[in-house]
Amino acid sequence: MLAIISSCGLSGIDGFGVAVEVNLAHGLPAFEIVGLPDASVKESRERVRAALKNSGFGFPAERLTVNLAPADQKKEGPSYDLPIALGMLACLGAVPQDAMDGICVFGELSLDGGVRPVRGALPMVISARERGVRRVMLPEANVNEVSCVEGLEIFPVSTLRAAARHFTGELPIEPVQPVAYKTLISRRRYAEDFCHVKGQTLAKRALEIAAAGGHNVLMIGPPGSGKTLMARCMPTILPDMTFEEALEATRIHSVAGIVPPTGLLTERPFRSPHHTASYASLIGGGVNALPGEVSKASAGCLYLDELPEYRRDVLEALRQPMEDGFVTITRVNAQCTYPSRFILICSMNPCPCGHLGSRTQQCRCTPAEIRRYLNRVSGPLLDRIDMHIEVESIPAEQLSETTLSESSDSIRARVVKAREVQLRRYAGTALHCNAELNARTLAGACAMTPAAQSLLLASTERLRMSNRAYTRILKVARTIADLDGLDDIHEDQIAEAVQYRALDRKYWG
């Protein structure tokens, strides 16, 4: 007796079709799984055996062979438990085979017959839809994650017995009603808001520019000056994610196994790895080439606090994802490419004690200590950070003020308006914001007045900035002009953009 159940596998953030072929033949009792399974797939034998018995079904005392096709592609994870068990029930005649035609099934089984959630449900469901599948059965705990996928009937299941009753017609499961993305967006609530940031007018202006153009930012200031608070407020002024961005971000988080309770991500990701993070945790890796922090922050913000405390090799590894917008992880068992389009926000002290240049505290560091501390961050990495912001301590009388600052909503309105200008400008191209401009598109998008061009050339020559710093200044000036509603870049925009590069000359010169 042969039963074939359609299922899904996972490769990076993409799913692929898997046919679970269950064959029951006469012979000595045996249970073999073939088709390039990993250890967790091979362990399905014991989970399926216990789940069938504890759900009130018998287990065949004959030769069972399970083939996961295609046999040349590695299969990982426990998501094949449920289709294997249903295939066995079909072979035993407990479930009609034709009832399972045209439906994709996946889920992990517990020993008592319950169905547990699996990693990567969203990419697997999207893959099934792309293959023409119109019905999917998955764990009930994964429903929120896929509730926005249209064009499918999604059947949530909590136990193996409930799945069997559905296919026999004894107790059909009602498909999940899809939830509109706009509805999920309306439920979003941010914990932080720029209205709670006291003072720091110049820093907030710089972060608004960074959000409007997608620019990377480095904040330099003493401890307690509000750098971390402002960084956490950054997602609140970014434009809402499009449905496509939300799907991509959720796919990455789904593969990593960190999907929020709401399911689909509606807030832009904000990732803040500790400074002891390893290369693999930041960039991605492990045995199965899982996504790292740079990919989990895609479409959002990656915040590195105390930048010089990170290992040098970890910081240098950021350079390629920052430029390309993706990262390729190659391991013995897998090779995966993950998106990594994020805004990098960094913060650091100006010296080891944190009080260099402070108006209220005296610096205790020697010149050699300061130089050694600052040299932990390489020049090439600094060149890739568009804006360097100096953050000062807030006087106590300013902290005691009860008047709220400008809210994130009002700042986001200006950011959205500037982003809309950029979307119209780059319509028909792969570009989304000014930070993504390259050598081919820079000149056409950044038209300058003669006076602005003269000021930019004089500034870069006097400050001895690199060619990369020159282009960064030009991109930031383009964003400032968009916020000001100007078609061409004028002197004022160049002058403001240059001041956001002056810190590397002040401290590293």
Side-chain angles (χ1 to χ4, degrees):
M1 181 68 180
L2 175 67
I4 302 176
I5 312 297
S6 176
S7 187
C8 270
L10 199 61
S11 176
I13 60 170
D14 298 313
F16 61 90
V18 175
V20 179
E21 302 171 345
V22 182
N23 186 64
L24 183 61
H26 295 296
L28 293 176
F31 189 176
E32 295 294 334
I33 299 179
V34 298
L36 215 58
D38 71 350
S40 60
V41 179
K42 292 179 181 179
E43 290 170 353
S44 292
R45 293 176 296 190
E46 301 307 320
R47 290 194 296 270
V48 170
R49 189 193 308 271
L52 283 170
K53 290 183 177 179
N54 291 327
S55 298
F57 301 105
F59 191 83
E62 296 177 275
R63 183 172 185 82
L64 272 168
T65 303
V66 177
N67 178 45
L68 305 177
D72 61 346
Q73 192 160 5
K74 190 172 182 63
K75 317 301 187 306
E76 303 170 352
S79 61
Y80 305 105
D81 292 0
L82 184 57
I84 290 174
L86 290 173
M88 289 184 182
L89 292 177
C91 290
L92 293 171
V95 174
Q97 166 71 61
D98 57 357
M100 293 183 284
D101 293 341
I103 187 169
C104 179
V105 181
F106 57 85
E108 176 186 349
L109 289 176
S110 60
L111 299 185
D112 63 357
V115 180
R116 290 176 172 169
V118 296
R119 279 193 309 111
L122 180 60
M124 289 193 285
V125 167
I126 292 174
S127 169
R129 185 183 62 177
E130 292 172 349
R131 299 197 313 272
V133 175
R134 290 295 172 260
R135 296 186 299 152
V136 175
M137 176 175 283
L138 47 67
E140 191 173 37
N142 287 123
V143 166
N144 287 342
E145 183 179 335
V146 301
S147 60
C148 279
V149 180
E150 298 179 347
L152 288 174
E153 283 188 312
I154 298 174
F155 300 94
V157 62
S158 57
T159 64
L160 175 59
R161 175 162 287 280
R165 287 179 175 177
H166 171 77
F167 290 117
T168 59
E170 180 182 349
L171 190 62
I173 299 172
E174 290 296 323
V176 174
Q177 295 298 321
V179 180
Y181 181 59
K182 290 183 178 179
T183 303
L184 293 177
I185 284 286
S186 65
R187 299 172 184 169
R188 181 194 58 197
R189 295 292 182 271
Y190 286 108
E192 290 82 13
D193 196 292
F194 266 110
C195 68
H196 300 124
V197 179
K198 304 293 185 181
Q200 303 297 1
T201 304
L202 295 178
K204 287 190 284 189
R205 163 68 175 173
L207 291 176
E208 177 183 338
I209 296 169
H215 304 290
N216 302 319
V217 180
L218 169 63
M219 293 184 285
I220 304 175
S225 55
K227 302 186 295 295
T228 299
L229 175 58
M230 288 189 287
R232 292 190 176 278
C233 289
M234 189 69 170
T236 67
I237 63 173
L238 291 172
D240 291 336
M241 284 194 292
T242 63
F243 182 57
E244 291 73 21
E245 286 180 317
L247 279 180
E248 182 179 87
T250 307
R251 287 167 68 186
I252 297 170
H253 285 69
S254 178
V255 170
I258 52 173
V259 176
T262 55
L264 197 73
L265 266 72
T266 56
E267 298 180 7
R268 291 192 178 271
F270 181 87
R271 303 296 299 181
S272 180
H274 193 259
H275 64 261
T276 58
S278 65
Y279 177 99
S281 65
L282 195 67
I283 305 301
V287 176
N288 298 323
L290 294 177
E293 295 294 334
V294 297
S295 299
K296 296 171 188 175
S298 190
C301 301
L302 176 65
Y303 178 50
L304 303 183
D305 194 13
E306 303 296 342
L307 185 66
E309 301 299 332
Y310 287 82
R311 281 172 25 198
R312 184 67 174 259
D313 64 317
V314 171
L315 292 180
E316 296 306 306
L318 288 172
R319 288 156 58 175
Q320 182 264 333
M322 290 168 64
E323 289 289 336
D324 298 340
F326 64 88
V327 60
T328 300
I329 310 299
T330 303
R331 293 296 182 268
V332 174
N333 295 328
Q335 177 175 324
C336 303
T337 298
Y338 297 110
S340 60
R341 292 183 295 272
F342 56 86
I343 295 178
L344 178 65
I345 308 175
C346 308
S347 66
M348 60 179 290
N349 298 328
C351 65
C353 77
H355 299 303
L356 178 64
S358 173
R359 300 174 182 175
T360 58
Q361 301 286 336
Q362 185 175 359
C363 178
R364 306 187 304 270
C365 307
T366 65
E369 289 173 336
I370 297 173
R371 193 177 304 110
R372 188 163 50 250
Y373 175 76
L374 298 178
N375 284 339
R376 295 179 186 175
V377 184
S378 69
L381 179 61
L382 284 174
D383 273 349
R384 287 171 169 81
I385 300 176
D386 303 0
M387 306 173 69
H388 307 159
I389 308 170
E390 192 169 28
V391 181
E392 297 183 350
S393 296
I394 302 299
E397 59 270 15
Q398 223 171 351
L399 290 175
S400 61
E401 291 180 357
T402 57
T403 305
L404 296 178
S405 304
E406 186 178 20
S407 69
S408 292
D409 288 341
S410 59
I411 298 175
R412 183 170 61 246
R414 295 193 295 269
V415 169
V416 169
K417 187 176 180 180
R419 286 288 185 111
E420 289 172 350
V421 171
Q422 294 166 51
L423 288 176
R424 289 194 296 269
R425 181 187 301 129
Y426 306 131
T429 70
L431 303 177
H432 301 89
C433 58
N434 293 328
E436 298 176 359
L437 286 169
N438 51 40
R440 183 174 58 85
T441 56
L442 190 66
C446 300
M448 292 183 285
T449 63
Q453 188 167 13
S454 299
L455 177 60
L456 178 57
L457 292 173
S459 300
T460 53
E461 181 179 352
R462 182 176 180 180
L463 296 175
R464 302 193 302 276
M465 293 182 179
S466 66
N467 293 338
R468 184 178 283 114
Y470 173 93
T471 60
R472 302 286 173 178
I473 292 173
L474 197 53
K475 293 177 186 179
V476 173
R478 176 68 271 172
T479 301
I480 298 172
D482 289 341
L483 285 168
D484 294 343
L486 300 174
D487 293 330
D488 294 337
I489 300 172
H490 293 72
E491 284 180 284
D492 291 345
Q493 288 80 51
I494 292 293
E496 185 175 0
V498 167
Q499 79 170 357
Y500 299 130
R501 296 294 307 187
L503 290 182
D504 59 350
R505 299 308 312 163
K506 178 176 180 180
Y507 292 116
W508 278 266

